[in-house]
Amino acid sequence: MSTHLAEQSATLQNIGRLLIKCSDQPGIVSAVSTFLLHQQANIVESSQFSTDPEGGHFYLRIEFYSDNLLKKKDELERDFQQIADEYEMEYRFSYAAELKRSAIYVSKEPYCLMELLWEWQNGDLNTDIVVVISNHEDSREMVEALGIPFHYIPANKDIRQQVEQQQIQLMKEYDVDVLILARYMQILTPDFVNHFPNRIINIHHSFLPAFIGARPYERAFGRGVKLIGATSHYVTNDLDEGPIIEQDIERVDHRDDTVQLKKIGRQIERRVLARAVKWHLEDRVIVENNKTIVFH
């Protein structure tokens, strides 16, 4: 863990988060806030959304402060079950001091990896990066210089099954919570994806759903597009069609050739992936079917 993260972890000891989704009905916010009041918890941030006040779906994220939170979290969660049952909620508590453990997957191009490592070193990415996995050796030196384990695992379609079994075993050994595909240029099999539902975050070098698949910049250039973008999404078994977490764009014109489009695109990809990962780590994302609710 970086020095910045160790210091932040200490300051976040008493910060908790509660994410809820259920059918919309009167009284939900009141019930939850009253419960937290009785637990001597102070709400510091609250965001909610309803698809329809009459029979819609309701989503809520609350961040709260409570003294000695980690010591009483089991009691807190046990007592909340009564409210959850009453409103038929899907919910989860998380605790800011319990940093999620991240694995980063990368191939030859390191620019997204470097952005994540910089954010992590700077204390702006609240996670414990426990391992980097790559099918190329290019990034080993920069990763190991930061004290992060680096595993080189050659991968191609002919050995994909055995490679993924090795990767799954490593995820267990490192007790990984979230997998970040920082330009990892390998197709993941359904078996691998099913092991980590809504826990694999990818960056796609295109403003989806346009130009799904390979060589999007070349295809965008061929169409003479005026905007290019990037998309970060959770990985599902439908290629490049998982729930979208974040997107961004830049304007381009006829002067920009494929080389320039890629250069601009790399800048977009870096910031889009970093934002998506940060929001996931801060429990700001609720997945609903193939969409997300993101509380910024």
PDB file of all heavy atoms in Angstrom, residues 216-225 258 261:
ATOM      1  N   PRO A 216     -11.032   0.635 -34.267  1.00  0.00           N
ATOM      2  CA  PRO A 216     -12.069   1.674 -34.325  1.00  0.00           C
ATOM      3  C   PRO A 216     -11.552   2.997 -34.883  1.00  0.00           C
ATOM      4  O   PRO A 216     -12.304   3.714 -35.547  1.00  0.00           O
ATOM      5  CB  PRO A 216     -12.504   1.815 -32.865  1.00  0.00           C
ATOM      6  CG  PRO A 216     -11.335   1.360 -32.083  1.00  0.00           C
ATOM      7  CD  PRO A 216     -10.723   0.263 -32.876  1.00  0.00           C
ATOM      8  N   TYR A 217     -10.272   3.351 -34.629  1.00  0.00           N
ATOM      9  CA  TYR A 217      -9.776   4.629 -35.120  1.00  0.00           C
ATOM     10  C   TYR A 217      -9.659   4.625 -36.639  1.00  0.00           C
ATOM     11  O   TYR A 217      -9.979   5.621 -37.309  1.00  0.00           O
ATOM     12  CB  TYR A 217      -8.433   4.964 -34.474  1.00  0.00           C
ATOM     13  CG  TYR A 217      -8.547   5.250 -32.991  1.00  0.00           C
ATOM     14  CD1 TYR A 217      -7.881   4.472 -32.056  1.00  0.00           C
ATOM     15  CD2 TYR A 217      -9.345   6.295 -32.529  1.00  0.00           C
ATOM     16  CE1 TYR A 217      -7.996   4.723 -30.696  1.00  0.00           C
ATOM     17  CE2 TYR A 217      -9.471   6.556 -31.178  1.00  0.00           C
ATOM     18  CZ  TYR A 217      -8.790   5.769 -30.260  1.00  0.00           C
ATOM     19  OH  TYR A 217      -8.913   6.025 -28.923  1.00  0.00           O
ATOM     20  N   GLU A 218      -9.212   3.510 -37.185  1.00  0.00           N
ATOM     21  CA  GLU A 218      -9.143   3.410 -38.644  1.00  0.00           C
ATOM     22  C   GLU A 218     -10.542   3.511 -39.256  1.00  0.00           C
ATOM     23  O   GLU A 218     -10.741   4.188 -40.278  1.00  0.00           O
ATOM     24  CB  GLU A 218      -8.491   2.085 -39.042  1.00  0.00           C
ATOM     25  CG  GLU A 218      -6.971   2.029 -38.818  1.00  0.00           C
ATOM     26  CD  GLU A 218      -6.575   1.737 -37.371  1.00  0.00           C
ATOM     27  OE1 GLU A 218      -7.498   1.558 -36.537  1.00  0.00           O
ATOM     28  OE2 GLU A 218      -5.376   1.694 -37.073  1.00  0.00           O
ATOM     29  N   ARG A 219     -11.501   2.857 -38.622  1.00  0.00           N
ATOM     30  CA  ARG A 219     -12.870   2.899 -39.149  1.00  0.00           C
ATOM     31  C   ARG A 219     -13.488   4.283 -38.965  1.00  0.00           C
ATOM     32  O   ARG A 219     -14.240   4.768 -39.812  1.00  0.00           O
ATOM     33  CB  ARG A 219     -13.705   1.813 -38.462  1.00  0.00           C
ATOM     34  CG  ARG A 219     -13.269   0.396 -38.905  1.00  0.00           C
ATOM     35  CD  ARG A 219     -13.531  -0.651 -37.840  1.00  0.00           C
ATOM     36  NE  ARG A 219     -14.936  -0.736 -37.494  1.00  0.00           N
ATOM     37  CZ  ARG A 219     -15.374  -1.190 -36.315  1.00  0.00           C
ATOM     38  NH1 ARG A 219     -14.493  -1.577 -35.402  1.00  0.00           N
ATOM     39  NH2 ARG A 219     -16.644  -1.265 -36.073  1.00  0.00           N
ATOM     40  N   ALA A 220     -13.157   4.934 -37.835  1.00  0.00           N
ATOM     41  CA  ALA A 220     -13.659   6.288 -37.605  1.00  0.00           C
ATOM     42  C   ALA A 220     -13.080   7.257 -38.635  1.00  0.00           C
ATOM     43  O   ALA A 220     -13.786   8.118 -39.168  1.00  0.00           O
ATOM     44  CB  ALA A 220     -13.298   6.747 -36.189  1.00  0.00           C
ATOM     45  N   PHE A 221     -11.780   7.100 -38.933  1.00  0.00           N
ATOM     46  CA  PHE A 221     -11.139   7.948 -39.940  1.00  0.00           C
ATOM     47  C   PHE A 221     -11.798   7.743 -41.296  1.00  0.00           C
ATOM     48  O   PHE A 221     -12.047   8.698 -42.043  1.00  0.00           O
ATOM     49  CB  PHE A 221      -9.643   7.634 -40.007  1.00  0.00           C
ATOM     50  CG  PHE A 221      -8.918   8.411 -41.062  1.00  0.00           C
ATOM     51  CD1 PHE A 221      -8.649   9.762 -40.889  1.00  0.00           C
ATOM     52  CD2 PHE A 221      -8.498   7.795 -42.240  1.00  0.00           C
ATOM     53  CE1 PHE A 221      -7.972  10.491 -41.875  1.00  0.00           C
ATOM     54  CE2 PHE A 221      -7.829   8.507 -43.215  1.00  0.00           C
ATOM     55  CZ  PHE A 221      -7.569   9.856 -43.029  1.00  0.00           C
ATOM     56  N   GLY A 222     -12.096   6.493 -41.606  1.00  0.00           N
ATOM     57  CA  GLY A 222     -12.737   6.180 -42.874  1.00  0.00           C
ATOM     58  C   GLY A 222     -14.117   6.797 -43.016  1.00  0.00           C
ATOM     59  O   GLY A 222     -14.562   7.087 -44.128  1.00  0.00           O
ATOM     60  N   ARG A 223     -14.790   6.999 -41.891  1.00  0.00           N
ATOM     61  CA  ARG A 223     -16.115   7.621 -41.910  1.00  0.00           C
ATOM     62  C   ARG A 223     -16.052   9.136 -41.825  1.00  0.00           C
ATOM     63  O   ARG A 223     -17.080   9.813 -41.946  1.00  0.00           O
ATOM     64  CB  ARG A 223     -16.959   7.092 -40.742  1.00  0.00           C
ATOM     65  CG  ARG A 223     -17.481   5.674 -40.935  1.00  0.00           C
ATOM     66  CD  ARG A 223     -18.502   5.579 -42.064  1.00  0.00           C
ATOM     67  NE  ARG A 223     -19.579   6.537 -41.912  1.00  0.00           N
ATOM     68  CZ  ARG A 223     -20.671   6.338 -41.169  1.00  0.00           C
ATOM     69  NH1 ARG A 223     -20.810   5.204 -40.489  1.00  0.00           N
ATOM     70  NH2 ARG A 223     -21.603   7.246 -41.097  1.00  0.00           N
ATOM     71  N   GLY A 224     -14.855   9.667 -41.555  1.00  0.00           N
ATOM     72  CA  GLY A 224     -14.730  11.117 -41.431  1.00  0.00           C
ATOM     73  C   GLY A 224     -15.463  11.676 -40.226  1.00  0.00           C
ATOM     74  O   GLY A 224     -16.091  12.744 -40.306  1.00  0.00           O
ATOM     75  N   VAL A 225     -15.390  10.995 -39.091  1.00  0.00           N
ATOM     76  CA  VAL A 225     -16.128  11.437 -37.907  1.00  0.00           C
ATOM     77  C   VAL A 225     -15.613  12.780 -37.407  1.00  0.00           C
ATOM     78  O   VAL A 225     -14.465  13.162 -37.661  1.00  0.00           O
ATOM     79  CB  VAL A 225     -16.035  10.394 -36.767  1.00  0.00           C
ATOM     80  CG1 VAL A 225     -16.589   9.048 -37.202  1.00  0.00           C
ATOM     81  CG2 VAL A 225     -14.600  10.250 -36.266  1.00  0.00           C
ATOM     82  N   THR A 258      -5.129   9.138 -38.947  1.00  0.00           N
ATOM     83  CA  THR A 258      -5.303   8.038 -38.003  1.00  0.00           C
ATOM     84  C   THR A 258      -4.333   8.136 -36.832  1.00  0.00           C
ATOM     85  O   THR A 258      -4.703   7.868 -35.680  1.00  0.00           O
ATOM     86  CB  THR A 258      -5.122   6.686 -38.718  1.00  0.00           C
ATOM     87  OG1 THR A 258      -6.067   6.596 -39.791  1.00  0.00           O
ATOM     88  CG2 THR A 258      -5.365   5.537 -37.760  1.00  0.00           C
ATOM     89  N   LEU A 261      -5.635  10.776 -34.505  1.00  0.00           N
ATOM     90  CA  LEU A 261      -6.833  10.290 -33.822  1.00  0.00           C
ATOM     91  C   LEU A 261      -6.460   9.363 -32.673  1.00  0.00           C
ATOM     92  O   LEU A 261      -7.047   9.425 -31.585  1.00  0.00           O
ATOM     93  CB  LEU A 261      -7.752   9.553 -34.806  1.00  0.00           C
ATOM     94  CG  LEU A 261      -8.432  10.391 -35.894  1.00  0.00           C
ATOM     95  CD1 LEU A 261      -9.360   9.498 -36.715  1.00  0.00           C
ATOM     96  CD2 LEU A 261      -9.203  11.553 -35.303  1.00  0.00           C
TER      97      LEU A 261
END
